[in-house]
Short mmCIF file of all heavy atoms in Angstrom, two decimals:
data_model
loop_
_atom_site.label_atom_id
_atom_site.label_comp_id
_atom_site.label_asym_id
_atom_site.label_seq_id
_atom_site.Cartn_x
_atom_site.Cartn_y
_atom_site.Cartn_z
N ASP A 1329 88.02 92.70 61.37
CA ASP A 1329 89.20 92.49 60.53
C ASP A 1329 88.92 92.98 59.11
O ASP A 1329 87.80 92.87 58.61
CB ASP A 1329 89.52 90.98 60.44
CG ASP A 1329 90.07 90.44 61.76
OD1 ASP A 1329 90.42 91.25 62.64
OD2 ASP A 1329 90.16 89.20 61.89
N HIS A 1344 80.65 96.16 46.46
CA HIS A 1344 80.18 95.21 47.48
C HIS A 1344 79.62 93.93 46.85
O HIS A 1344 79.96 92.82 47.25
CB HIS A 1344 79.11 95.89 48.35
CG HIS A 1344 78.67 95.05 49.51
ND1 HIS A 1344 77.42 94.49 49.58
CD2 HIS A 1344 79.33 94.63 50.62
CE1 HIS A 1344 77.32 93.78 50.68
NE2 HIS A 1344 78.46 93.85 51.34
N GLU A 1356 86.68 75.45 46.64
CA GLU A 1356 86.77 74.83 47.97
C GLU A 1356 87.80 75.50 48.86
O GLU A 1356 87.62 75.67 50.05
CB GLU A 1356 87.15 73.35 47.81
CG GLU A 1356 86.00 72.50 47.32
CD GLU A 1356 86.40 71.05 47.15
OE1 GLU A 1356 87.53 70.70 47.54
OE2 GLU A 1356 85.60 70.26 46.64
N PRO A 1371 99.94 96.30 78.79
CA PRO A 1371 98.62 96.24 79.43
C PRO A 1371 98.20 97.66 79.79
O PRO A 1371 99.05 98.47 80.15
CB PRO A 1371 98.86 95.40 80.69
CG PRO A 1371 100.11 94.64 80.42
CD PRO A 1371 100.93 95.47 79.46
N PRO A 1379 100.92 90.35 87.00
CA PRO A 1379 100.72 89.21 86.11
C PRO A 1379 100.98 87.90 86.83
O PRO A 1379 101.88 87.83 87.67
CB PRO A 1379 101.74 89.44 84.99
CG PRO A 1379 102.76 90.35 85.57
CD PRO A 1379 102.18 91.04 86.76
N THR A 1414 92.51 87.32 71.57
CA THR A 1414 91.57 88.41 71.31
C THR A 1414 90.13 87.93 71.32
O THR A 1414 89.22 88.73 71.29
CB THR A 1414 91.86 89.05 69.93
OG1 THR A 1414 91.76 88.04 68.93
CG2 THR A 1414 93.24 89.67 69.89
N GLY A 1439 105.78 73.28 76.22
CA GLY A 1439 107.18 73.55 76.59
C GLY A 1439 107.96 74.35 75.55
O GLY A 1439 109.11 74.70 75.79
N GLU A 1466 99.78 83.79 80.58
CA GLU A 1466 99.96 84.86 81.57
C GLU A 1466 98.66 85.66 81.63
O GLU A 1466 98.07 85.98 80.60
CB GLU A 1466 101.10 85.77 81.12
CG GLU A 1466 101.44 86.86 82.12
CD GLU A 1466 102.56 87.77 81.64
OE1 GLU A 1466 102.37 88.49 80.64
OE2 GLU A 1466 103.63 87.75 82.26
N LEU A 1482 83.02 93.54 104.00
CA LEU A 1482 83.00 94.20 102.69
C LEU A 1482 81.91 93.58 101.85
O LEU A 1482 81.62 92.39 101.98
CB LEU A 1482 84.31 93.95 101.94
CG LEU A 1482 85.59 94.48 102.55
CD1 LEU A 1482 86.76 93.94 101.76
CD2 LEU A 1482 85.58 95.98 102.46
N ILE A 1509 81.12 79.92 107.26
CA ILE A 1509 81.47 79.45 105.91
C ILE A 1509 82.69 80.25 105.43
O ILE A 1509 82.65 81.48 105.44
CB ILE A 1509 80.29 79.68 104.93
CG1 ILE A 1509 79.00 79.00 105.44
CG2 ILE A 1509 80.65 79.23 103.52
CD1 ILE A 1509 78.96 77.51 105.27
N ILE A 1514 90.75 78.74 95.80
CA ILE A 1514 90.43 79.62 94.67
C ILE A 1514 91.14 79.08 93.44
O ILE A 1514 92.34 78.87 93.46
CB ILE A 1514 90.86 81.07 94.94
CG1 ILE A 1514 90.05 81.66 96.11
CG2 ILE A 1514 90.70 81.93 93.69
CD1 ILE A 1514 90.41 83.08 96.48
N HIS A 1527 90.13 86.09 99.12
CA HIS A 1527 91.29 85.27 99.44
C HIS A 1527 90.87 84.04 100.23
O HIS A 1527 89.82 84.04 100.88
CB HIS A 1527 92.30 86.09 100.24
CG HIS A 1527 92.77 87.31 99.50
ND1 HIS A 1527 92.14 88.53 99.60
CD2 HIS A 1527 93.78 87.48 98.62
CE1 HIS A 1527 92.75 89.40 98.81
NE2 HIS A 1527 93.75 88.80 98.20
N ASP A 1536 74.48 86.90 97.54
CA ASP A 1536 73.33 87.58 96.91
C ASP A 1536 72.25 87.93 97.93
O ASP A 1536 71.06 87.70 97.69
CB ASP A 1536 72.74 86.71 95.78
CG ASP A 1536 73.54 86.88 94.49
OD1 ASP A 1536 74.28 87.87 94.39
OD2 ASP A 1536 73.44 86.03 93.61
N SER A 1544 74.09 75.22 105.98
CA SER A 1544 75.07 74.13 105.96
C SER A 1544 76.01 74.39 104.78
O SER A 1544 75.73 75.21 103.92
CB SER A 1544 74.36 72.78 105.76
OG SER A 1544 73.81 72.74 104.46
N PRO A 1575 78.65 95.98 111.60
CA PRO A 1575 77.77 96.01 110.42
C PRO A 1575 78.45 96.81 109.31
O PRO A 1575 79.14 97.78 109.60
CB PRO A 1575 76.53 96.76 110.91
CG PRO A 1575 77.01 97.55 112.08
CD PRO A 1575 78.12 96.76 112.71
N GLY A 1603 97.99 110.74 84.17
CA GLY A 1603 98.31 109.80 85.23
C GLY A 1603 97.15 108.96 85.69
O GLY A 1603 97.30 108.10 86.52
N THR A 1609 98.71 104.65 73.83
CA THR A 1609 98.24 105.79 73.07
C THR A 1609 96.84 106.03 73.54
O THR A 1609 96.04 105.11 73.60
CB THR A 1609 98.21 105.49 71.56
OG1 THR A 1609 97.54 104.26 71.40
CG2 THR A 1609 99.59 105.41 70.99
N LYS A 1664 97.64 126.57 111.71
CA LYS A 1664 96.27 126.88 111.33
C LYS A 1664 95.87 128.27 111.82
O LYS A 1664 96.25 128.69 112.89
CB LYS A 1664 95.35 125.83 111.95
CG LYS A 1664 93.97 125.98 111.41
CD LYS A 1664 93.11 124.85 111.80
CE LYS A 1664 93.63 123.59 111.19
NZ LYS A 1664 93.96 122.62 112.17
N LYS A 1669 86.11 130.32 110.63
CA LYS A 1669 85.03 129.49 111.16
C LYS A 1669 85.14 128.09 110.57
O LYS A 1669 85.03 127.10 111.26
CB LYS A 1669 83.67 130.09 110.74
CG LYS A 1669 83.22 131.20 111.67
CD LYS A 1669 82.54 130.64 112.91
CE LYS A 1669 81.99 131.72 113.79
NZ LYS A 1669 82.94 132.19 114.81
N THR A 1678 98.60 114.87 103.99
CA THR A 1678 99.46 113.91 104.68
C THR A 1678 98.92 112.52 104.39
O THR A 1678 97.83 112.37 103.85
CB THR A 1678 99.40 114.12 106.20
OG1 THR A 1678 98.03 114.06 106.59
CG2 THR A 1678 99.99 115.44 106.60
N THR A 1690 88.76 122.06 109.28
CA THR A 1690 88.09 122.27 110.57
C THR A 1690 86.71 122.84 110.31
O THR A 1690 86.46 123.47 109.28
CB THR A 1690 88.87 123.27 111.45
OG1 THR A 1690 88.98 124.51 110.74
CG2 THR A 1690 90.25 122.74 111.77
N GLU A 1692 82.87 124.18 112.58
CA GLU A 1692 82.23 124.45 113.87
C GLU A 1692 80.94 123.64 113.95
O GLU A 1692 80.17 123.61 112.99
CB GLU A 1692 81.91 125.93 113.96
CG GLU A 1692 81.62 126.41 115.35
CD GLU A 1692 81.47 127.94 115.37
OE1 GLU A 1692 80.35 128.41 115.10
OE2 GLU A 1692 82.47 128.64 115.64
N ALA A 1713 93.82 111.24 133.15
CA ALA A 1713 92.83 112.31 132.97
C ALA A 1713 93.41 113.66 133.39
O ALA A 1713 92.92 114.70 132.98
CB ALA A 1713 91.59 112.00 133.78
N LEU A 1717 97.16 117.75 127.79
CA LEU A 1717 97.07 117.08 126.49
C LEU A 1717 98.09 117.68 125.52
O LEU A 1717 98.19 118.89 125.38
CB LEU A 1717 95.66 117.24 125.90
CG LEU A 1717 94.54 116.55 126.67
CD1 LEU A 1717 93.19 117.00 126.15
CD2 LEU A 1717 94.66 115.04 126.54
N ILE A 1747 86.13 123.68 122.91
CA ILE A 1747 84.77 123.49 123.41
C ILE A 1747 84.30 124.85 123.92
O ILE A 1747 84.92 125.43 124.82
CB ILE A 1747 84.74 122.44 124.55
CG1 ILE A 1747 85.26 121.10 124.04
CG2 ILE A 1747 83.33 122.30 125.14
CD1 ILE A 1747 85.51 120.06 125.13
N ASP A 1780 89.53 114.54 108.90
CA ASP A 1780 90.28 114.18 107.70
C ASP A 1780 89.36 114.11 106.49
O ASP A 1780 88.26 113.60 106.58
CB ASP A 1780 90.92 112.78 107.87
CG ASP A 1780 92.02 112.81 108.92
OD1 ASP A 1780 92.58 113.89 109.13
OD2 ASP A 1780 92.31 111.75 109.51
#
Side-chain angles (χ1 to χ4, degrees):
D1329 289 347
H1344 186 249
E1356 286 179 7
T1414 58
E1466 184 181 66
L1482 297 171
I1509 304 284
I1514 294 179
H1527 301 90
D1536 278 342
S1544 67
T1609 49
K1664 189 170 296 121
K1669 277 277 184 269
T1678 54
T1690 59
E1692 197 173 85
L1717 294 169
I1747 300 170
D1780 291 335

